[in-house]
Amino acid sequence: MEMKLVPFDSDLWDIYTGAYGSVRTEVKILMGHKKTAPPSGEKLRRLSAQEKGDYQIAFDNLCENLWHQTSFYNALYLVMPYMVTLFEQKESEHDFDWQLAIISAMGICQASDPGWNEESRLEPGDLLESYRLSVKKLKEKTKVFLSSHLDQISRLESRKRGEFLTALMAILGDREAAFLLTLSVREGCPLLCGRCGFGCENGSLDNPEFRERITPAPEKPWDGKSFDDPLTWYSGVLHRVGADAEASRLAYYYGTFTCPECGEKKPVLDFMKAYHSFV
């Protein structure tokens, strides 16, 4: 089966929606249809430090629809094949900025669909199969983009680089880890012990006492080719783009935490998953 694009006149656009409703208009603009950006685009235009055209506004609005509050929106099932198609266009044009933006956006969207939530809203069929094919295709293209542009990625300003690296984890490695690491940026490292119920809402790797309860995972050298072990390849990428501090913190997220109440020892990410699943 080949990846299929859902026609814009399909009722599915009104069924599978983003945070603010249908994303049909935004995707049409990005695919070259000459339309005026939706009213919400004007809000983004006013908030921007620089004037944006309808094309950029449409992309910003699409991202806002799909990222809102780190939640999963099933519009992604319709959007992903189109974004892979758009990526191929930008790839042929050697447009680094747009390739970067598409990978970052679609990766963060995938991070909002972790394992305990994965594809639970869609019955098996052509739409799900096409979505899976587009995800697989983006994965292979992301590997090529990464290997071809390491120097440019290392020179990105911190926010853009951080978004791309989070997206990278979701696309190439571990959606659950990407989701938890995304939350950790604003919420620290909250933990919950499933055995005894011990909770640590204010956990932070910046706290020396908290870090003492964690045995960091050992870093292994990355060959630059294999993506089987998320810790190994992700640490390798972080080091290669100059994000050594982030690589050091990653070893703690993949490390082992000891519960101070019952002595349970498990990966930090498992304790984090238990916390976020509970709340």
Side-chain angles (χ1 to χ4, degrees), residues 76 80 105-114 131 135 138 170-171 175:
L76 187 62
M80 184 66 80
M106 293 300 100
I108 291 174
C109 288
Q110 287 185 60
S112 70
D113 190 17
Y131 170 72
V135 168
L138 182 64
I171 293 172
R175 288 187 193 177

Side-chain angles (χ1 to χ4, degrees), residues 2-37:
E2 295 183 359
M3 186 181 73
K4 296 179 181 179
L5 304 178
V6 174
F8 289 122
D9 59 359
S10 171
D11 292 338
L12 292 176
W13 291 97
D14 298 312
I15 298 172
Y16 297 98
T17 60
Y20 305 109
S22 173
V23 297
R24 177 194 281 114
T25 300
E26 287 83 358
V27 177
K28 287 180 72 173
I29 293 170
L30 291 170
M31 299 310 295
H33 292 246
K34 302 300 181 181
K35 289 272 188 178
T36 302

Side-chain angles (χ1 to χ4, degrees), residues 12-79:
L12 292 176
W13 291 97
D14 298 312
I15 298 172
Y16 297 98
T17 60
Y20 305 109
S22 173
V23 297
R24 177 194 281 114
T25 300
E26 287 83 358
V27 177
K28 287 180 72 173
I29 293 170
L30 291 170
M31 299 310 295
H33 292 246
K34 302 300 181 181
K35 289 272 188 178
T36 302
S40 57
E42 295 304 319
K43 180 178 180 181
L44 287 173
R45 185 193 296 271
R46 289 197 299 272
L47 291 174
S48 175
Q50 61 184 28
E51 194 71 9
K52 293 182 178 181
D54 286 352
Y55 194 77
Q56 182 64 57
I57 290 171
F59 187 75
D60 289 349
N61 286 346
L62 179 63
C63 292
E64 177 62 22
N65 260 285
L66 297 176
W67 293 355
H68 184 63
Q69 295 184 343
T70 326
S71 298
F72 177 81
Y73 296 95
N74 57 20
L76 187 62
Y77 294 129
L78 307 179
V79 170

Side-chain angles (χ1 to χ4, degrees), residues 180 183-192 198-214 249 252-253 257 260 268 271-272 275-276:
L180 295 170
L183 293 178
S184 73
V185 172
R186 67 170 188 263
E187 297 182 17
C189 189
L191 309 176
L192 178 66
F198 166 79
C200 181
E201 293 186 7
N202 300 315
S204 171
L205 293 181
D206 294 326
N207 183 335
E209 293 183 6
F210 180 79
R211 288 173 71 118
E212 285 180 1
R213 296 192 177 278
I214 300 173
R249 293 175 71 86
Y252 279 87
Y253 283 113
F257 179 78
V268 172
F271 281 100
M272 290 178 68
Y275 175 85
H276 289 292

Side-chain angles (χ1 to χ4, degrees), residues 156-159 161-163 165-166 169 181 184-185 205 211 219 231 234-239 241-254:
L156 291 171
E157 55 95 5
S158 60
R159 181 186 61 81
R161 189 179 70 176
E163 287 182 353
L165 291 172
T166 299
M169 172 63 86
L181 292 174
S184 73
V185 172
L205 293 181
R211 288 173 71 118
E219 289 190 49
L231 174 60
Y234 198 53
S235 292
V237 170
L238 290 173
H239 285 303
V241 300
D244 296 328
E246 289 91 332
S248 177
R249 293 175 71 86
L250 186 71
Y252 279 87
Y253 283 113
Y254 274 92

Side-chain angles (χ1 to χ4, degrees), residues 246-279:
E246 289 91 332
S248 177
R249 293 175 71 86
L250 186 71
Y252 279 87
Y253 283 113
Y254 274 92
T256 302
F257 179 78
T258 301
C259 175
E261 297 292 332
C262 68
E264 173 84 313
K265 292 184 178 182
K266 293 175 65 176
V268 172
L269 289 173
D270 284 356
F271 281 100
M272 290 178 68
K273 176 181 175 180
Y275 175 85
H276 289 292
S277 298
F278 178 77
V279 298

